[in-house]
Amino acid sequence: MRSSLAPGVWFLRNFSRDSWFRGFILLLTFFIYTCYHMSRKPISVVKSRLHQNCSELLKPINDSDSLNDTTWCDWAPFDKNNYKELLGAVDNAFLVAYAIGMFISGIFGERLPLRYYLSAGMLLSGLFTSLFGLGYFWNIHMLWYFVLIQICNGLVQTTGWPSVVTCVGNWFGKGKRGLIMGIWNSHTSVGNILGSLIAGVWVNEQWGLSFVVPGIITAAMGVLTFLFLIEYPEDVDCTTPQHHTSDGLDENQDNPEDLGNGPCINKESSLESATRCPKEPRAQPAAISFLGALRIPGVVEFSLCLLFAKLVSYTFLYWLPLYIFNVAHFSAKQAGDLSTLFDVGGIMGGIMAGLISDYTNGRATTCCVMLILAAPMMFLYNYIGQNGITNSIVMLIICGALVNGPYALITTAVSADLGTHKSLKGNAKALSTVTAIIDGTGSIGAALGPLLAGLISPTGWNNVFYMLISADILACLLLCRLVYKELLAWKSSLSRDRGYKEI
């Protein structure tokens, strides 16, 4: 008869196995959402190629157009004087569809297997991204084609965010969630950087490949997702994480039968015996309703804050290369490459926001401070950011960190915290819905930002930056109530600590 392992040996072996699977899921979901963002970025780089100053280029000798034609190098229908409004319409088609679809996607995400849902979404996203680029090879010049493709792509891309956050939330508890998700959320910036670099390779030649290549990579990642994604730790007999604590104890411990293997663990004291307990069937909690998710404390405030924070971030995402191209007079490829520094700053900002919020236990305060600092930095970038390459690099990194830090924190750690809030009493079926509500509301801002930039930019880039600064301040104001509550909690904690020292 096999002798049972000592508890310490079992713990080390089980911990190693749990860590391996958690690391694998973190890496896989990182690559998944990197592909989603990579497929969104090419349009911002290709914009400067769809409409440019043709007088600075050498016209081909065999070209049949008139010698006086000043739009021969542009891609119709974006060769008109209202090209900024048309490009804004293409952006908005994606973003409005994404915002609307996100609220629906969270509901489906709670009720469908995440592996199938994500795989299908990535395959379709790869298809529609490629179809946009194929418009170049098929010589399509109809605006409705590009708008329709963007609408379809926006809808299928909503499968991504609620699903990956739910999957990571299933595997990781609250302990260091801010830092872990801050590092993990760098997939957004990594995807933007890869999308910019890949698009930059072909933007001046066959710009259709700027979309086709990311589309193929995204579809291939969808196949890997279908083969390897694991939704729940229980599926591979790993330990379920602790999502929230109360006085150092998991709240589920108040009622052991609420745990999946609660009765079994109570009957057996050995850790090894607990892991070998059969999984007994139990009633699954019902998925939370939309209104029920809105009633979770903090969901409304963070959702509205994200609306304005994402408005700023996505305006930079879609218009920064064109701004650099027009103001600093770099080539389309150079502008696209330089714009990646904003995302490099975003990686730093996301990690910094997660680390600080974990240490202080103040998610709202961390967001608010970074938003306050972002407003003057955007103002300075607009006025001195183009005075030399060094100024541009430094200011882009700082602005990227301060703009994307709060956005990253809210869409990851905050969403996961609220989706596993103690008021839900252990019901994990809220995570996808809460994530979808927060990111869906934020996506309304993501749609408004590029649209407003397209409408305002003809009046001058200064006005675009004034709009962004105003949105940043509004995002900060919406968190005031939550910041006040966190300050009271810190004051109460300090008073208790001082009382213990006096005793």
Side-chain angles (χ1 to χ4, degrees):
M1 183 175 178
R2 182 177 63 86
S3 60
S4 61
L5 291 172
V9 175
W10 173 90
F11 175 78
L12 289 174
R13 186 181 71 176
N14 198 60
F15 176 79
S16 176
R17 186 172 184 276
D18 283 358
S19 297
W20 190 93
F21 273 105
R22 286 194 171 97
F24 172 74
I25 292 300
L26 208 63
L27 194 62
L28 181 61
T29 50
F30 180 94
F31 287 138
I32 288 170
Y33 212 69
T34 294
C35 288
Y36 273 103
H37 255 264
M38 177 184 65
S39 64
R40 297 178 196 176
K41 185 64 177 178
I43 183 64
S44 68
V45 177
V46 173
K47 275 179 184 176
S48 56
R49 174 65 180 80
L50 298 177
H51 188 101
Q52 53 189 330
N53 189 350
C54 300
S55 63
E56 297 178 354
L57 303 174
L58 183 63
K59 189 173 184 178
I61 297 174
N62 60 351
D63 197 291
S64 59
D65 293 332
S66 168
L67 292 175
N68 296 323
D69 184 8
T70 59
T71 63
W72 63 268
C73 66
D74 297 335
W75 189 267
F78 306 105
D79 55 346
K80 308 294 189 300
N81 290 332
N82 65 337
Y83 73 97
K84 288 184 180 179
E85 288 84 350
L86 297 180
L87 290 171
V90 172
D91 290 342
N92 217 48
F94 175 92
L95 294 167
V96 170
Y98 185 86
I100 294 171
M102 184 60 73
F103 292 104
I104 304 170
S105 182
I107 297 171
F108 283 113
E110 300 286 12
R111 293 160 174 81
L112 296 175
L114 292 181
R115 185 164 64 93
Y116 298 145
Y117 194 49
L118 261 176
S119 301
M122 296 196 77
L123 289 170
L124 290 171
S125 181
L127 171 65
F128 290 121
T129 302
S130 298
L131 284 173
F132 194 102
L134 289 173
Y136 170 84
F137 298 101
W138 294 341
N139 206 29
I140 295 174
H141 296 279
M142 294 169 288
L143 181 64
W144 67 262
Y145 173 83
F146 298 106
V147 169
L148 181 62
I149 292 299
Q150 287 291 79
I151 290 172
C152 294
N153 202 9
L155 290 172
V156 299
Q157 286 238 345
T158 61
T159 58
W161 190 243
S163 300
V164 293
V165 172
T166 298
C167 191
V168 172
N170 289 339
W171 280 87
F172 289 88
K174 189 174 180 180
K176 295 295 180 183
R177 184 179 276 164
L179 176 60
I180 292 170
M181 285 192 153
I183 297 171
W184 173 76
N185 190 64
S186 63
H187 52 50
T188 300
S189 297
V190 171
N192 291 341
I193 292 169
L194 286 175
S196 295
L197 295 177
I198 292 172
V201 174
W202 291 285
V203 65
N204 290 321
E205 301 297 333
Q206 297 178 317
W207 61 258
L209 290 175
S210 298
F211 294 90
V212 172
V213 173
I216 292 173
I217 295 172
T218 302
M221 194 66 213
V223 175
L224 294 178
T225 300
F226 178 79
L227 294 175
F228 296 108
L229 185 69
I230 305 166
E231 296 178 35
Y232 300 101
E234 308 93 275
D235 293 342
V236 285
D237 296 321
C238 285
T239 307
T240 304
Q242 179 175 305
H243 288 299
H244 44 77
T245 59
S246 179
D247 298 328
L249 296 173
D250 189 343
E251 290 186 6
N252 287 335
Q253 290 177 356
D254 292 339
N255 184 7
E257 293 185 1
D258 286 344
L259 297 170
N261 296 326
C264 180
I265 293 174
N266 289 337
K267 293 175 184 175
E268 309 253 7
S269 59
S270 166
L271 288 171
E272 185 184 9
S273 299
T275 61
R276 291 187 286 106
C277 287
K279 295 181 180 178
E280 298 180 7
R282 61 178 177 135
Q284 293 293 324
I288 194 169
S289 66
F290 186 87
L291 292 177
L294 285 176
R295 284 194 289 267
I296 297 172
V299 166
V300 172
E301 287 95 334
F302 276 115
S303 296
L304 293 174
C305 172
L306 186 63
L307 187 152
F308 292 103
K310 209 166 179 178
L311 182 154
V312 177
S313 181
Y314 267 65
T315 302
F316 275 100
L317 173 67
Y318 280 92
W319 287 93
L320 182 59
L322 187 62
Y323 170 76
I324 296 171
F325 177 80
N326 286 340
V327 176
H329 306 295
F330 287 103
S331 70
K333 184 180 186 307
Q334 290 171 331
D337 292 345
L338 192 60
S339 70
T340 61
L341 294 172
F342 183 83
D343 295 298
V344 171
I347 295 173
M348 299 177 184
I351 296 172
M352 183 170 61
L355 184 63
I356 294 171
S357 68
D358 276 343
Y359 180 76
T360 61
N361 198 28
R363 309 282 199 218
T365 306
T366 302
C367 290
C368 198
V369 170
M370 295 184 81
L371 289 167
I372 290 171
L373 294 174
M377 293 309 300
M378 285 190 287
F379 180 84
L380 287 174
Y381 172 66
N382 183 43
Y383 274 90
I384 67 171
Q386 308 306 325
N387 297 340
I389 189 67
T390 303
N391 279 356
S392 187
I393 290 172
V394 172
M395 296 297 294
L396 276 171
I397 292 174
I398 294 173
C399 285
L402 295 174
V403 168
N404 284 339
Y407 159 40
L409 185 63
I410 294 171
T411 54
T412 54
V414 170
S415 295
D417 287 351
L418 296 176
T420 54
H421 194 268
K422 62 184 181 181
S423 65
L424 298 170
K425 299 178 180 178
N427 182 0
K429 283 286 188 177
L431 191 50
S432 183
T433 301
V434 169
T435 301
I437 289 173
I438 292 175
D439 200 53
T441 307
S443 297
I444 296 172
L448 284 174
L451 174 64
L452 292 173
L455 296 174
I456 297 172
S457 57
T459 68
W461 287 105
N462 288 347
N463 294 330
V464 174
F465 275 87
Y466 294 146
M467 180 267 290
L468 296 178
I469 292 168
S470 300
D472 191 86
I473 294 170
L474 285 171
C476 181
L477 292 175
L478 285 163
L479 292 181
C480 286
R481 189 183 72 86
L482 296 179
V483 170
Y484 179 69
K485 287 179 66 177
E486 288 178 354
L487 291 175
L488 288 180
W490 288 337
K491 182 179 178 181
S492 176
S493 177
L494 287 173
S495 298
R496 287 199 303 270
D497 292 343
R498 192 176 296 113
Y500 291 143
K501 288 177 182 177
E502 289 175 358
I503 290 172

